[in-house]
C-alpha cells in the first residue's frame, strides 16, 4: 500500500472536498507520485489522515473508479490502473479515459522471439538456479556448470569440440569484445565489416582501438581487402550482420591463413548460429583455427539479452590474460544468468526451445518473404536467423520507406544505420527487416503495412 499522498484541501473553497480530493489524486498520478498498480489507502485510513469524513474519501474513490483511473477489488483494496502523466489535457481535466493505443510494431532486427518460450520451463530454470546456495568466492572464468553446459551446447548445436576449460563466461558479445580489445595495444587497428554491427564497432572504439571498415559481399568479408598491420578482424561468418549471407568456405580458409601468417586474432561473432532453417552449416572458424580464433556466443538471440550471458572460446594464452585482468580489476560477468542458462540447458529445455524457435522463425521468415514479394521486391539472405535484407534503389527510397512506415506505426531500420562511415556511404541501400520481436498477430499486421508502403515506391 502506498503512503497517503500529499494532498492539500481548501476547506473554504466552494469546490466539494471529494472533488478536490479526486483532483489531487489524479494530479499525483500525473506527476508519477502514484503509479499503475499502487494500492491506495483505505477510505477509512485516508479520511482519518486528512481529517475529513469517510463519505468524502469514498466519493472521491467512486469518481476515480468511474473514470477508470482506479480499480477496486472487494476485500483487497483500490488500485491505481492509469497514469495521467501521458494523458492529453482533456483527460487531465476529467474527460473519459481513451482506450490505450497499441504499441507500434517493431520490424527492426535485434530483439529475440519471446512468443514461443515455454514459460513453465523458464520458471523451472530460475527456480533451479535459485535453489543453489550463493557462492562465497567469485569465479572469474564463470560458473563451472555453465561452462560445461556451453561446451555441450557448442558440440551439439555448433559442431565445435571444446572442453569446459576452454570456455569463459561473458556478459554478452559486446562486453566480450570490449574485454578482448583491452588486451591489445592501445590504438591498434581492427578490421570490421562494412556494413556491420555498430555496437561492436563502438565497443572497439570505446576501448581505444581504431576500427577499419572492410567491405562485405555475398561471400562475406572480403579478406583480400583487409589491410596489413591490423591486430584483429571482427566478423559474423555464420550469418553476416546485416546482409544475411554466410561466409564462403574459401573465404574462411583465406581468413585463417592470413590471420596465422600476420598474427591477427579473428573475432568470430556467432550471434545467431543456432538458428538455421534450410541452409547447411559450414565449419566454424573456431573449429578451423582454434589457435587464432576467439569464438563468441550469446544468449541474446535464442533467449534474451536481458539475461546478460554469453561465452567465449579462445586460445589458452588469451584466456589467461582475460582472467588475470578480471582478477586484478575485480570484474567478472554476473553468475545468476549463467546458472539459469545451465539449468535450462541441462534439463533438455534448451534443446526443445531451439527446435520450437527454429520452426517458428522459419515460418515467420516465409511470411516476410511472401509479404515483400507481394510488393514486387526481393528479400535477400540465407534461410537463417531472424532478419532479411530488402534491397532498395537508393538512400532516398530507404529514407522514404522508413518515414512512410513510421507514419503508419511500424518501426523499420535501413542499411544506412549499419555503416561505420555513416548514412549514404557506399552504393547499397535497403531495409534490414527483423521478424522476431512482435507476436505473430502483430507481425502479420505490420507486414500488411510494409507491403503497402513498398508498393508505393516509385518504380525505375
Ligand atoms: C551481430 C550481432 N552480434 C551480437 C549481438 C548480441 O550482442 P550481445 O550478446 O552483446 O547482446 C547482436 C544483437 O543484436 C548482433 O546483432
Amino acid at each position: 500500500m502506498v503512503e497517503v499522498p500529499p494532498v492539500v484541501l481548501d476547506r473554504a473553497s466552494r469546490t466539494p472536498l471529494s472533488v478536490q480530493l479526486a483532483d489531487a489524486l489524479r494530479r499525483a498520478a500525473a506527476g508519477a507520485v502514484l503509479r499503475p498498480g499502487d494500492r491506495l489507502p483505505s477510505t477509512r485510513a485516508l479520511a482519518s489522515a486528512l481529517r475529513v469524513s469517510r463519505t468524502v474519501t469514498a466519493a472521491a474513490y467512486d469518481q476515480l473508479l468511474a473514470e477508470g483511473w482506479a480499480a477496486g477489488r472487494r476485500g483487497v483494496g483500490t488500485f491505481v490502473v492509469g497514469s495521467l502523466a501521458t494523458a492529453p489535457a482533456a483527460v487531465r481535466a476529467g474527460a473519459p479515459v481513451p482506450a490505450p493505443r497499441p504499441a507500434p510494431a517493431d520490424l527492426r532486427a535485434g530483439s529475440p522471439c519471446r512468443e514461443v518460450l515455454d514459460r513453465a520451463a523458464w520458471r523451472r530454470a530460475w527456480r533451479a538456479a535459485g535453489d543453489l546456495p550463493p557462492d562465497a568466492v567469485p569465479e572469474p572464468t564463470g560458473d563451472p556448470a555453465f561452462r560445461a553446459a556451453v561446451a555441450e551446447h557448442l558440440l551439439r548445436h555448433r559442431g565445435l569440440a571444446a572442453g569446459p576449460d576452454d570456455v569463459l563466461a561473458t556478459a554478452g558479445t559486446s562486453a566480450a569484445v570490449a574485454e578482448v580489445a583491452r588486451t591489445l595495444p592501445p590504438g591498434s587497428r581492427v578490421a570490421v565489416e562494412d556494413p556491420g554491427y555498430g555496437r561492436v564497432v563502438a565497443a572497439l572504439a570505446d576501448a581505444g582501438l581504431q576500427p577499419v571498415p572492410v567491405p562485405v559481399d555475398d561471400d562475406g568479408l572480403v579478406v583480400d581487402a583487409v589491410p596489413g598491420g591490423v591486430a584483429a578482424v571482427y566478423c559474423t561468418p555464420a550469418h553476416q550482420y546485416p546482409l544475411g549471407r554466410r561466409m564462403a568456405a574459401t573465404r574462411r580458409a583465406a581468413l585463417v591463413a592470413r590471420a596465422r601468417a600476420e598474427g591477427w586474432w579473428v573475432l568470430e561473432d556467432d550471434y545467431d548460429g543456432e538458428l538455421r532453417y534450410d541452409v547447411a552449416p559450414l565449419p566454424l572458424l573456431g573449429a578451423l583455427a582454434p589457435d587464432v580464433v576467439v569464438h563468441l556466443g550469446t544468449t541474446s538471440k535464442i533467449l534474451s539479452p536481458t539475461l546478460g550471458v554469453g561465452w567465449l572460446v579462445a586460445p589458452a594464452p588469451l584466456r589467461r590474460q582475460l582472467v588475470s585482468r578480471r582478477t586484478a580489476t575485480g570484474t567478472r560477468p554476473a553468475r545468476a544468468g549463467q546458472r539459469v542458462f545451465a539449468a535450462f540447458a541441462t534439463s533438455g529445455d534448451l534443446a526443445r526451445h531451439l527446435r520450437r524457435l527454429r520452426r517458428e522463425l522459419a515460418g515467420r521468415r516465409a511470411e516476410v518473404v511472401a509479404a515483400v514479394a507481394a510488393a514486387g521486391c526481393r528479400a535477400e539472405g540465407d534461410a537463417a536467423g531472424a532478419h532479411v535484407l530488402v534491397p532498395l534503389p537508393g538512400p532516398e527510397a530507404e529514407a522514404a520507406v522508413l518515414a512512410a512506415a513510421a507514419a503508419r506505426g511500424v518501426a523499420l531500420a535501413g542499411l544506412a544505420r549499419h555503416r561505420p562511415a555513416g548514412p549514404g556511404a557506399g552504393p547499397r541501400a535497403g531495409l534490414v527487416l527483423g521478424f522476431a520481436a512482435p507476436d505473430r498477430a502483430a507481425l502479420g499486421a505490420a507486414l500488411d503495412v510494409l507491403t503497402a508502403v513498398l508498393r508505393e515506391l516509385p518504380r525505375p
Side-chain angles (χ1 to χ4, degrees), residues 17-34:
L17 288 173
S18 62
V19 175
Q20 290 186 42
L21 178 56
D23 283 349
L25 292 174
R26 275 196 220 95
R27 273 197 303 278
V33 174
L34 293 175

Side-chain angles (χ1 to χ4, degrees), residues 47 197 218 258 270 274 277 355 361 368-369 444:
Y197 183 43
D218 284 350
R258 275 195 75 187
D270 196 47
E274 296 90 348
Y277 320 122
R355 281 197 291 276
L361 289 174
V368 171
V369 170

Side-chain angles (χ1 to χ4, degrees), residues 36 67-69 81-83 86-88 91 96-104:
E67 289 172 1
W69 292 107
V81 290
S83 158
T86 54
V91 176
V97 185
R101 276 179 46 181

Side-chain angles (χ1 to χ4, degrees), residues 355-366:
R355 281 197 291 276
R356 207 174 300 128
L357 188 60
R358 284 190 203 106
R359 228 179 4 255
E360 172 70 17
L361 289 174
R364 287 173 176 230
R365 188 176 185 282

